[in-house]
Amino acid sequence: DAGVIQSPRHEVTEMGQEVTLRCKPISGHDYLFWYRQTMMRGLELLIYFNNNVPIDDSGMPEDRFSAKMPNASFSTLKIQPSEPRDSAVYFCASRDRGGTEAFFGQGTRLTVV
Amino acid sequence: AQSVTQPDIHITVSEGASLELRCNYSYGATPYLFWYVQSPGQGLQLLLKYFSGDTLVQGIKGFEAEFKRSQSSFNLRKPSVHWSDAAEYFCAVGSNQGGKLIFGQGTELSVKP
């Protein structure tokens, strides 16, 4: 398996624009997580899915953020409209139901100017 | 409440010296414990994990960690640090039933010649 795949690796956008981050989890994994990493706040869990259903979205900062998982092999995190304070590295991770470790993608570095 | 505390934000050690990174957790159920490493610009890579059994676990790159239930700790150790070990290290706890991993704030390790 190629691991968790995220795209794009880097994204630069202007304030007010819509941004969509993409993630393909490891095949067979039941859980998918979206994390945000910043210098100030460290690694924050934004939302996670179990079998494509959102379980906990309490970490989503505000209504500008939304996440979907239309099928077991694809998830998106959308920010609309984007703001400079959204600049961060966004990680996707997946985990299987047996409770083993989470596998992380390489992350998407988002810069909002 | 479930939480992970890494008391040291930044540690500097000399190359060849021993290393211990501290991790304390608070978790209601039987915890699964993990240490991850993140090199600059990279995703998180699993170093080692503890599920059950022997409380001293061996990981990759010569790292080991010891689970101490009485102290709610899972400290990471390495007998002799190499310059390539400079990175950020994250401790995490999760359930054996799947679900989210809770991460500490991370400890940044610098290695001086």
Side-chain angles (χ1 to χ4, degrees), chain A residues 5-20:
Chain A
I5 300 173
Q6 292 186 246
S7 64
R9 289 293 311 276
H10 301 273
E11 177 80 39
V12 180
T13 190
E14 291 185 346
M15 183 174 62
Q17 296 298 305
E18 177 180 296
V19 175
T20 299

Side-chain angles (χ1 to χ4, degrees), chain A residues 14-32:
Chain A
E14 291 185 346
M15 183 174 62
Q17 296 298 305
E18 177 180 296
V19 175
T20 299
L21 311 182
R22 297 173 176 79
C23 175
K24 175 178 167 53
I26 292 173
S27 177
H29 280 190
D30 299 308
Y31 291 90
L32 183 139

Side-chain angles (χ1 to χ4, degrees), chain A residues 56-76:
Chain A
D56 182 355
D57 65 355
S58 59
M60 296 286 262
E62 48 198 276
D63 292 345
R64 298 184 297 106
F65 285 69
S66 63
K68 294 182 179 179
M69 193 165 185
N71 57 61
S73 59
F74 184 65
S75 177
T76 59

Side-chain angles (χ1 to χ4, degrees), chain B residues 14-102:
Chain B
S14 297
E15 190 167 18
S18 63
L19 171 71
E20 182 169 28
L21 302 182
R22 296 182 291 166
C23 172
N24 293 97
Y25 68 90
S26 173
Y27 200 76
T30 302
Y32 279 7
L33 293 156
F34 310 87
W35 275 100
Y36 285 83
V37 61
Q38 184 182 30
S39 298
Q42 301 297 312
L44 277 71
Q45 179 187 19
L46 182 72
L47 278 177
L48 50 77
K49 58 191 176 187
Y50 171 78
F51 289 168
S52 64
D54 192 346
T55 57
L56 185 64
V57 293
Q58 303 296 320
I60 62 171
K61 306 184 181 185
F63 285 91
E64 65 179 25
E66 186 171 13
F67 171 59
K68 293 185 177 179
R69 186 184 298 275
S70 61
Q71 299 178 19
S72 297
S73 70
F74 188 57
N75 293 348
L76 182 71
R77 301 194 293 248
K78 186 170 185 179
S80 177
V81 170
H82 188 262
W83 64 266
S84 60
D85 293 325
E88 187 150 21
Y89 292 80
F90 292 91
C91 181
V93 64
S95 163
N96 60 357
Q97 302 298 314
K100 64 184 178 183
L101 294 189
I102 299 165

